[in-house]
Amino acid sequence: MNTARAQTGEGKMHKDIQEKYLQIYNKQADAIFRHCYFRISDREIARDIMQDTFTKTWEYIAKGGEVENVRAFLYRVANNLLIDHYRKKKSVSLTAIQEKGVEFASQNATSEIKRKVDVGIALQYMDALDDAYKQVLTMRYVDDMKVKEIAQILDETENAVSVRIHRGLQKIQKKIE
Amino acid sequence: MGFKKYKKRSSKQPGIKINTMKHLIKSLKRSKKVSLTENEKNWSKEELIHFMEKHPVRDEEQARHQLQKARTAFVPLQLIHSIRPMTALIAIALVFSLGGGASVAASDSLPGEALYPVKIHLNERIGSVLAFSEEAEADFHLEKAEIRLRETEQLASKNAVRAEVLNKTEVRFDKHIEKTEELAAKFEAKGKEAKAAEINARLEAMMEVHSQILALLEEQLDNADTSSNTEVEVEIESTNEDSEEFGKFVAKIKTKAEASEEDEEDEEESEETGPSKQAALNAQNLAEKHMERVTRFTEKRRGLGRASVEISGDAQTYLEEAETLIAQGEAQLETESYAEAFASFHQAHKSIQKANSHIASGGNLGLQLGKDKQDNDGDDGNTEDENEEEEEDEEEDEEEEENDDNEIEVEAETQLNVSGSETRTEANATLIQKLRARF
């Protein structure tokens, strides 16, 4: 049946759509993965959630859903999945992070070590926070979003987001002292 | 009257510590390098393709249309969300119907007062729009950050700090600082070292001065708690939470002050090649401009009728210090010691900033602020007793000034569109009445 469709114009459009979506995947997969990783500190699960994000989004589009802004939509989906995950499971304990260590994609030894330290530090301090704070802090500093963008994704006011970021930082500041 | 010399920091302690929020945020940002491996990415991609095959598109036209317009950049769909609509409307209505008086009257308002939203959303917004260059933007954010500090200080001097209000002010303050630091980093990256240095110098000086002021105010408030509060009328009683929040804020500023000092030392350490001639010349240019701005500012204030305001002793000393440093820098330029010249202008910025901060806030609050402990080599040629006498004299002077100040403020506002003998709070009330009549 596939070959039959491939011969008609329809088949071509089908391919076209797939390609477009895969392009989006290429661009956004890392960012989504990174965001998940900072929320739950587990590489495997982060990958799974990233995967689910893209499959769910595809399902939505395949069923005819409307998407104003794909990136925002992806983050929303990921966000919901992460919250679900949190509800089921407590976050990975600190010792687990320290034991597993932080894993990286890069092959360069020295920069890898530097990064390991940075991420380790960041994770350590973020880990104790409630997910609500982790959420906005990750989006703000890891995903590099502006407050306006975060507000859009989470469907809250900019002010609320600002205050939450501020309070999250305050909580970390307390930990530092 | 020495100035802080550039000194090498002793070797770093072993182990990694986060001692500032900035370091944490830097860590978070560097963590952007976390990503999927080629294999992981491809494997996931294959899985995705497999999934896509299993779940074919129902309406191909629709799907393609959606993906066609797939925007990945964020578009500001909700511009209005950024300012609460009612506030914006009120602000605009006020300005047009009252001939701009509201905007001017708002410029002195404090957090919690009725006209404060006008100050934030109108006056300051206009100011930010007018900042055409990034340099101007950096100046803008630096100034606003300082204004936030001053507002808090004024509230504290009246024991009118409230936790909720302080939090909101703090959020704004943080934003301004963040922007300032961002821009400073940008300047460095773009090779505008002189401007970056200026901004950093001013930031540091600002933190130092206000850290002192806030500490003094905190002390005052702690002492005031034990005695009864008959002089100052407060509408709502201050609670423990309020003093707690204020205490936190003061501690935070202090930490920032110490941290930025450390950063400065870090930067000095990491400089491999000294500043070039051009950088030194730029620094000179900026220092002179900065000096000009501050002197113009004080003259403007005199012009508005605050004639009796003398620049406090501290501020005067700082300005003189700055002049000396600028002259020194010029001399060093002549002898082609560019690194030293750069350093001199850098220090000059700090002194000017300190003077500025003192002029604006110290006088009004009737506080006696000491100079840096580092600056005070005891070189002012007085004995300790003589110093104490001087300080007491200055305090008396400042009290007199304050009384004069109030009278003159009222006069000044008469010139500025507020009727007759109304004080500022009364003027606010009148405006609010007018506003209510309209809505």
Side-chain angles (χ1 to χ4, degrees):
Chain A
M1 192 157 60
N2 267 342
T3 37
R5 283 171 83 203
Q7 280 163 6
T8 65
E10 242 186 43
K12 222 168 157 217
M13 196 194 289
H14 183 79
K15 258 223 135 191
D16 198 36
I17 294 171
Q18 275 203 1
E19 274 196 33
K20 278 209 162 44
Y21 191 67
L22 288 174
Q23 268 173 29
I24 294 175
Y25 171 83
N26 285 335
K27 268 182 98 178
Q28 303 293 334
D30 282 308
I32 302 284
F33 165 73
R34 189 179 308 136
H35 181 93
C36 295
Y37 181 63
F38 272 90
R39 296 273 290 274
I40 55 179
S41 325
D42 182 317
R43 205 178 169 92
E44 286 309 312
I45 303 182
R47 274 180 59 198
D48 284 339
I49 296 189
M50 183 268 297
Q51 187 78 34
D52 286 343
T53 305
F54 279 95
T55 51
K56 282 204 174 223
T57 306
W58 170 259
E59 265 184 310
Y60 179 79
I61 294 179
K63 287 182 186 155
E66 275 186 35
V67 181
E68 189 60 46
N69 180 317
V70 174
R71 185 166 171 239
F73 190 83
L74 286 168
Y75 270 99
R76 244 181 238 140
V77 172
N79 194 42
N80 290 335
L81 288 170
L82 285 162
I83 292 177
D84 285 344
H85 173 85
Y86 254 96
R87 290 211 182 112
K88 290 182 211 154
K89 219 175 163 196
K90 275 189 352 196
S91 65
V92 181
S93 76
L94 195 53
T95 43
I97 300 175
Q98 288 171 341
E99 280 165 22
K100 269 198 288 185
V102 173
E103 307 153 52
F104 274 96
S106 141
Q107 304 303 314
N108 182 336
T110 34
S111 52
E112 187 177 334
I113 292 175
K114 266 195 211 165
R115 285 185 222 144
K116 248 192 187 157
V117 168
D118 281 333
V119 178
I121 292 175
L123 277 179
Q124 204 171 335
Y125 282 95
M126 290 267 281
D127 195 59
L129 293 179
D130 290 331
D131 189 44
Y133 294 122
K134 264 203 233 185
Q135 182 190 61
V136 290
L137 288 177
T138 308
M139 284 187 183
R140 177 75 184 88
Y141 295 110
V142 178
D143 301 314
D144 242 355
M145 295 186 191
K146 303 198 185 103
V147 175
K148 211 179 272 182
E149 297 168 340
I150 302 178
Q152 260 189 320
I153 292 183
L154 298 179
D155 199 18
E156 305 207 21
T157 61
E158 276 188 51
N159 194 43
V161 173
S162 274
V163 172
R164 214 192 303 170
I165 291 177
H166 181 77
R167 290 208 181 122
L169 289 174
Q170 275 187 325
K171 297 225 167 198
I172 297 189
Q173 181 70 42
K174 266 203 192 128
K175 291 221 90 206
I176 292 178
E177 286 161 9
Chain B
M1 193 169 67
F3 57 91
K4 191 162 62 176
K5 297 193 170 72
Y6 280 57
K7 46 184 187 259
K8 288 276 180 201
R9 213 152 64 112
S10 54
S11 61
K12 287 195 176 137
Q13 291 151 348
I16 315 258
K17 275 193 294 183
I18 296 192
N19 46 15
T20 59
M21 189 53 62
K22 221 204 282 187
H23 286 158
L24 171 71
I25 293 180
K26 266 193 206 162
S27 303
L28 278 172
K29 286 191 173 176
R30 276 190 222 134
S31 314
K32 269 183 266 178
K33 296 300 182 185
V34 173
S35 62
L36 299 157
T37 61
E38 281 282 335
N39 286 337
E40 287 173 332
K41 204 165 177 184
N42 288 331
W43 201 74
S44 289
K45 200 171 181 180
E46 294 300 317
E47 294 232 326
L48 183 61
I49 295 176
H50 190 65
F51 183 87
M52 288 184 349
E53 298 283 322
K54 272 202 192 157
H55 296 80
V57 179
R58 257 186 229 159
D59 181 351
E60 295 197 334
E61 274 298 340
Q62 163 75 326
R64 193 170 74 141
H65 176 64
Q66 291 302 320
L67 287 176
Q68 199 89 300
K69 65 166 175 160
R71 257 184 278 116
T72 47
F74 283 99
V75 174
L77 293 173
Q78 295 140 325
L79 280 165
I80 307 290
H81 264 221
S82 53
I83 16 170
R84 285 190 17 249
M86 200 49 186
T87 314
L89 287 174
I90 292 177
I92 295 171
L94 270 179
V95 172
F96 281 115
S97 66
L98 301 175
S103 170
V104 177
S107 60
D108 279 336
S109 61
L110 297 176
E113 290 175 3
L115 282 180
Y116 191 67
V118 176
K119 179 178 182 180
I120 297 292
H121 296 298
L122 191 62
N123 298 2
E124 294 194 356
R125 225 158 250 222
I126 292 176
S128 87
V129 167
L130 290 177
F132 289 125
S133 65
E134 285 187 325
E135 281 90 330
E137 214 186 314
D139 289 333
F140 174 80
H141 284 289
L142 200 54
E143 283 161 16
K144 293 313 155 209
E146 183 156 34
I147 291 181
R148 297 290 87 80
L149 287 173
R150 284 197 219 135
E151 287 166 355
T152 308
E153 288 159 3
Q154 288 190 301
L155 285 175
S157 75
K158 296 192 273 187
N159 194 8
V161 175
R162 301 290 169 259
E164 196 57 51
V165 171
L166 176 60
N167 273 333
K168 293 205 189 128
T169 308
E170 210 179 322
V171 168
R172 295 200 181 106
F173 169 77
D174 284 340
K175 262 198 231 162
H176 287 302
I177 294 292
E178 210 188 310
K179 272 265 139 183
T180 308
E181 288 173 344
E182 250 182 65
L183 286 164
K186 238 193 191 180
F187 293 149
E188 261 187 68
K190 285 190 188 175
K192 297 186 185 171
E193 298 148 350
K195 186 65 184 177
E198 182 210 336
I199 296 292
N200 285 327
R202 287 171 63 188
L203 193 55
E204 192 190 319
M206 184 169 103
M207 287 301 168
E208 241 180 87
V209 170
H210 286 284
S211 179
Q212 284 175 26
I213 299 179
L214 286 168
L216 274 169
L217 285 167
E218 199 182 7
E219 230 183 276
Q220 249 184 29
L221 285 174
D222 283 339
N223 295 340
D225 271 343
T226 51
S227 60
S228 65
N229 233 350
T230 46
E231 293 164 359
V232 182
E233 268 190 44
V234 279
E235 292 171 9
I236 320 163
E237 282 293 305
S238 78
T239 63
N240 278 339
E241 197 199 345
D242 293 330
S243 26
E244 228 186 276
E245 282 301 317
F246 183 60
K248 275 193 219 161
F249 185 68
V250 175
K252 170 175 166 174
I253 300 297
K254 182 164 174 232
T255 318
K256 263 204 159 322
E258 289 162 4
S260 54
E261 252 189 73
E262 277 184 36
D263 276 348
E264 201 194 0
E265 290 176 7
D266 277 344
E267 279 170 28
E268 295 160 30
E269 247 184 38
S270 65
E271 286 224 73
E272 291 169 329
T273 55
S276 63
K277 177 178 183 185
Q278 190 56 46
L281 286 172
N282 288 343
Q284 177 192 32
N285 190 19
L286 289 173
E288 285 171 354
K289 273 202 212 155
H290 195 188
M291 189 63 142
E292 221 187 303
R293 273 208 303 264
V294 174
T295 14
R296 245 190 298 140
F297 172 71
T298 39
E299 284 178 6
K300 238 210 289 187
R301 290 183 111 227
R302 291 217 185 95
L304 269 184
R306 296 184 162 104
S308 68
V309 172
E310 289 299 312
I311 303 182
S312 80
D314 284 332
Q316 192 64 38
T317 324
Y318 282 130
L319 283 178
E320 287 171 6
E321 202 176 285
E323 275 179 37
T324 316
L325 287 164
I326 292 182
Q328 190 177 290
E330 282 171 9
Q332 283 159 339
L333 279 177
E334 302 261 305
T335 62
E336 296 192 351
S337 340
Y338 296 127
E340 276 100 347
F342 194 84
S344 299
F345 294 129
H346 186 84
Q347 291 301 324
H349 279 303
K350 283 179 67 179
S351 299
I352 301 173
Q353 183 66 40
K354 286 184 192 168
N356 191 30
S357 302
H358 275 273
I359 291 170
S361 43
N364 285 348
L365 302 174
L367 293 173
Q368 181 54 39
L369 298 162
K371 279 169 61 179
D372 279 36
K373 294 179 186 97
Q374 283 153 329
D375 286 351
N376 220 349
D377 285 338
D379 268 351
D380 50 4
N382 289 346
T383 63
E384 269 205 304
D385 285 345
E386 285 176 18
N387 272 346
E388 270 196 309
E389 267 185 53
E390 273 188 6
E391 281 192 286
E392 283 174 30
D393 282 348
E394 281 189 66
E395 269 186 311
E396 280 177 25
D397 283 347
E398 280 177 302
E399 271 176 38
E400 278 181 27
E401 281 166 24
E402 256 204 302
N403 292 337
D404 286 347
D405 249 2
N406 287 339
E407 289 175 11
I408 288 169
E409 251 183 72
V410 172
E411 279 180 29
E413 284 187 290
T414 314
Q415 299 168 17
L416 297 170
N417 224 350
V418 174
S419 62
S421 56
E422 288 178 330
T423 61
R424 197 184 71 222
T425 37
E426 286 178 25
N428 286 351
T430 322
L431 286 163
I432 296 171
Q433 275 176 15
K434 287 189 186 168
L435 169 66
R436 287 219 179 98
R438 260 165 229 274
F439 286 91

